[in-house]
Amino acid sequence: MAEDTTTLAGPPDERPLPPVRDWPDVGTNATDFDPVLAELMREGPLTRIRLPHGEEDWAWLATRYEDVKMITNDARFSRAEASVRQFTRLAPHFAPRPGALAWADQPDHNRLRRAASTAYTVSAVRRLRPRAQEMLDELVDAMVQDGPPADLVERVLEPFPISVVCEVMGVPADERRKVHDWTREIISTAGGAEASERAKKGLFGWIAQAVRDRGDSGGQDVLSLLGAAVKSGELRHEEAVSVAGPLQIGGEALTNNSGQMFFLLLTRPDLLERVREDPASRPAVVEELLRYIPHRTAVGLPRIALEDVEIGGVRVGKGDPVYVSYLAANRDPSVFPDPDLIDVDRDAGAHMAFGNGPHYCTGAVFSRMQIELLLDTLLERLPGLRLAVPPGEVPFRQRTMIRGPQALPIAW
């Protein structure tokens, strides 16, 4: 990418467009911030990007906190309109399912979300917490019994979120490995369009049958709630299936996010000592790490401008695709001073790690609960917790949309 920037002067309609920047796959190391995104932030706050896939030549990218906040709350930017466009994108395969929550605008978005929302309320998560602790304890018991060294990802950080999300969704124990294999393939960019499509067919086909089977079950798991919503006419069957899929896939994000958190703790002795000796500081540490961690590769899903909109002195035209970067917003120095430093004494509560606006993550409370349990349990049960290899030997996932360690060898 070129290092020069474009200076805009005059009324928005008369200003030259900023150059289109290709977003190359430069590879990222461990928890390092994406250097391409860092450069785009310096050129911004609004730039034009071209990603590896898709038919449209470019899209806008907003990186400033206030712009990201505005766009994600503004009905003039439509997710539904983007679902029928082959915009420039990271994923090799793009075929949104009809009725998908991620692509819905209001009021459909609230209607779709409401059907499963009772499984993700604060009270529902509170009721789930003892069962989640039991599942975590079983995993840690087995790891402690086998003794160090151990791969924390394999033994705890992968099976725990999978078990919990499957508990919430209502996936039987003997089906969980199959479901996990499908979700892993869906978020990977390595297998190509064919592998991704096979995994989607497998997962969504399985969900479709489960929703049909549970319309009369009266259960409080997500699949039963959605089955009941279909039977009552609140949702169409295809809508229920489209809502359930991303909720199931969400467990993958927690595996990777918590893996990054523990990598950061285990490579920063002062930070680890702080959370070990001062349990009261842990909630603030979690929020700061959520702000700091580079959760994903490149950008997520775009929106389409439904009319001309001026952002930061730049005119975004009607029909233009627009991406926002939550990662960039979380590093905006006007909101988070010295944003590239982990400062557990700052107020990081305004971070956008779970998104913003109507598409704010459904499972945010659910995810925080699991992170709290992991931190408290592992620090209590594993005295002297440390990496079993030098930090540079910890392998991180490559060619995947969600970033995180592939393995995290530990000793205690």
Side-chain angles (χ1 to χ4, degrees):
M1 292 177 63
E3 295 183 359
D4 62 305
T5 60
T6 301
T7 302
L8 301 179
D13 288 346
E14 299 176 5
R15 296 172 186 171
L17 291 173
V20 176
R21 302 301 195 194
D22 285 308
W23 199 317
D25 182 9
V26 296
T28 48
N29 182 40
T31 57
D32 290 350
F33 197 71
D34 186 332
V36 178
L37 180 55
E39 187 171 347
L40 290 166
M41 290 167 65
R42 288 192 295 271
E43 293 186 8
L46 208 64
T47 56
R48 294 196 299 161
I49 59 170
R50 181 188 297 116
L51 294 158
H53 301 284
E55 297 171 8
E56 298 189 23
D57 189 54
W58 60 270
W60 291 105
L61 171 67
T63 56
R64 187 168 55 185
Y65 185 95
E66 287 304 321
D67 295 336
V68 171
K69 187 175 180 180
M70 182 276 285
I71 292 167
T72 53
N73 267 310
D74 194 320
R76 292 176 295 176
F77 295 94
S78 168
R79 277 276 185 85
E81 187 69 20
S83 70
V84 296
R85 297 263 296 268
Q86 291 293 323
F87 47 82
T88 184
R89 63 182 188 272
L90 178 66
H93 183 63
F94 178 70
R97 294 187 60 84
L101 186 62
W103 297 104
D105 294 334
Q106 301 293 32
D108 273 349
H109 181 271
N110 279 352
R111 178 179 62 85
L112 295 170
R113 187 165 176 154
R114 186 168 51 245
S117 62
T118 56
Y120 294 93
T121 62
V122 172
S123 59
V125 171
R126 189 181 297 119
R127 289 193 299 272
L128 176 66
R129 190 179 184 110
R131 175 60 184 141
Q133 182 71 67
E134 287 178 9
M135 291 188 285
L136 178 56
D137 287 340
E138 290 173 4
L139 294 168
V140 176
D141 286 344
M143 184 174 69
V144 169
Q145 182 176 349
D146 290 344
D151 177 1
L152 189 62
V153 171
E154 179 185 27
R155 300 300 299 264
V156 177
L157 301 185
E158 186 172 77
F160 176 58
I162 292 169
S163 296
V164 175
V165 77
C166 286
E167 190 89 3
V168 173
M169 295 296 295
V171 180
D174 60 352
E175 301 267 36
R176 292 178 181 180
R177 174 49 56 182
K178 175 174 65 178
V179 168
H180 170 56
D181 289 343
W182 282 326
T183 60
R184 171 62 55 78
E185 188 62 52
I186 288 168
I187 69 166
S188 173
T189 60
E194 276 190 32
S196 175
E197 185 60 23
R198 281 196 304 271
K200 286 179 181 179
K201 285 182 177 178
L203 177 64
F204 284 95
W206 184 91
I207 290 172
Q209 189 59 51
V211 169
R212 286 191 191 94
D213 292 343
R214 299 189 195 185
D216 294 314
S217 72
Q220 292 303 299
D221 60 86
V222 171
L223 294 172
S224 295
L225 290 170
L226 292 173
V230 171
K231 185 174 182 182
S232 70
E234 183 180 352
L235 296 180
R236 299 191 304 273
H237 181 259
E238 64 179 12
E239 290 177 329
V241 175
S242 295
V243 168
L247 296 176
Q248 181 67 53
I249 295 167
E252 301 290 342
L254 187 68
T255 291
N256 289 286
N257 290 346
S258 60
Q260 290 197 64
M261 279 194 181
F262 277 97
F263 177 82
L264 289 169
L265 290 171
L266 296 174
T267 54
R268 288 164 170 75
D270 291 347
L271 183 57
L272 181 60
E273 183 68 15
R274 172 79 176 265
V275 297
R276 187 184 291 281
E277 299 300 325
D278 182 15
S281 71
R282 291 174 190 171
V285 172
V286 167
E287 295 307 313
E288 172 65 354
L289 292 179
L290 284 169
R291 179 200 71 82
Y292 179 87
I293 285 170
H295 300 273
R296 64 163 301 115
T297 302
V299 287
L301 304 177
R303 293 163 172 81
I304 302 297
L306 299 180
E307 60 184 72
D308 292 354
V309 183
E310 184 175 347
I311 302 174
V314 177
R315 184 182 68 83
V316 174
K318 179 181 178 180
D320 288 353
V322 182
Y323 282 101
V324 300
S325 174
Y326 294 124
L327 300 184
N330 284 344
R331 300 285 181 114
D332 187 333
S334 70
V335 181
F336 305 105
D338 296 320
D340 296 330
L341 298 178
I342 297 175
D343 178 2
V344 298
D345 293 315
R346 81 163 88 235
D347 181 2
H351 68 74
M352 295 189 187
F354 292 113
N356 187 66
H359 288 278
Y360 183 81
C361 177
T362 303
V365 176
F366 181 62
S367 297
R368 282 190 173 95
M369 178 269 286
Q370 293 177 83
I371 292 169
E372 290 169 7
L373 291 181
L374 284 166
L375 198 57
D376 290 344
T377 302
L378 291 172
L379 290 178
E380 178 184 336
R381 298 285 305 278
L382 305 178
L385 178 63
R386 63 191 182 276
L387 283 180
V389 299
E393 294 182 15
V394 174
F396 274 70
R397 301 187 189 281
Q398 301 296 320
R399 301 188 67 194
T400 184
M401 288 177 276
I402 308 298
R403 292 177 58 184
Q406 188 170 351
L408 197 57
I410 59 165
W412 60 91

